[in-house]
Amino acid sequence: GAGLSPETLFINALAGATVDLSNLTTITGGATAALADGTDSVVDFSSLTSFNDDAFDTSNLEAINGGTVDIGNLTDLNAVRIRLNDTGTLDTRQIINHNNGILTINGVTPDFSNLTNLDVSSLFVLKGGVLYLHALTSYTGSTDFDTTIQATGVGSRVDLSALTTLRGSGAGLSP
């Protein structure tokens, strides 16, 4: 499902606070949602390199209202929703693999220049946001559920111009 599981670990830095997980290198499973909300609020995942949610599509990374989720070394994500907007900071340029997840881009143009694997993920770009995926040459949809690639609103754009291979969703497909 697209919502957060009722069995989610919430990590919240609110109203200028900090949650320091700077030595954490791997999230191995389960559902985890990190939110930095408010000026100078920080969730520090600065050593995190791998984030795997085996509960599928229930984990979340989001920074809003001047908050920062520091994921500057995170390269591999599985079943994680990333929500980006113009009010928070969440670095994405180092991400290489983001599978089974959701990207929601709201009014910004994030740097996903190193993203080469985005299989079984949905993309939602809105309110003039732009998502350039110039390193992505192939995409495979899900065998178990719908996936979506969608741009909504004037100026919104999903740029998949480097894509040379596309395999849609459907039962019975094997990746």
Side-chain angles (χ1 to χ4, degrees):
L4 292 176
S5 166
E7 300 84 23
T8 300
L9 168 61
F10 292 96
I11 300 171
N12 298 326
L14 308 173
T18 298
V19 177
D20 186 348
L21 292 161
S22 59
N23 286 316
L24 182 68
T25 59
T26 305
I27 297 174
T28 58
T32 303
L35 171 67
D37 183 357
T39 303
D40 298 323
S41 299
V42 177
V43 174
D44 186 346
F45 285 144
S46 56
S47 295
L48 188 66
T49 59
S50 178
F51 187 161
N52 179 51
D53 174 355
D54 55 8
F56 286 96
D57 195 15
T58 54
S59 286
N60 193 59
L61 294 170
E62 184 173 19
I64 57 175
N65 301 318
T68 299
V69 177
D70 184 351
I71 57 165
N73 287 304
L74 183 58
T75 58
D76 297 300
L77 297 95
N78 184 57
V80 177
R81 176 191 304 257
I82 296 177
R83 295 179 179 177
L84 299 170
N85 64 58
D86 62 354
T87 69
T89 303
L90 202 150
D91 192 13
T92 57
R93 71 178 162 262
Q94 76 290 344
I95 296 173
I96 297 169
N97 301 301
H98 184 259
N99 297 307
N100 301 300
I102 298 173
L103 294 179
T104 302
I105 312 302
N106 187 348
V108 294
T109 305
D111 182 352
F112 280 98
S113 57
N114 291 304
L115 186 63
T116 58
N117 192 342
L118 190 63
D119 287 342
V120 193
S121 290
S122 288
L123 312 174
F124 299 94
V125 178
L126 57 149
K127 296 185 180 176
V130 179
L131 180 58
Y132 292 106
L133 296 172
H134 293 159
L136 191 68
T137 59
S138 68
Y139 175 86
T140 300
S142 173
T143 59
D144 299 318
F145 52 87
D146 293 337
T147 49
T148 303
I149 299 172
Q150 178 176 307
T152 304
V154 175
S156 297
R157 178 180 175 146
V158 178
D159 187 332
L160 296 165
S161 59
L163 211 65
T164 59
T165 306
L166 175 76
R167 182 161 190 167
S169 296
L173 294 178
S174 58

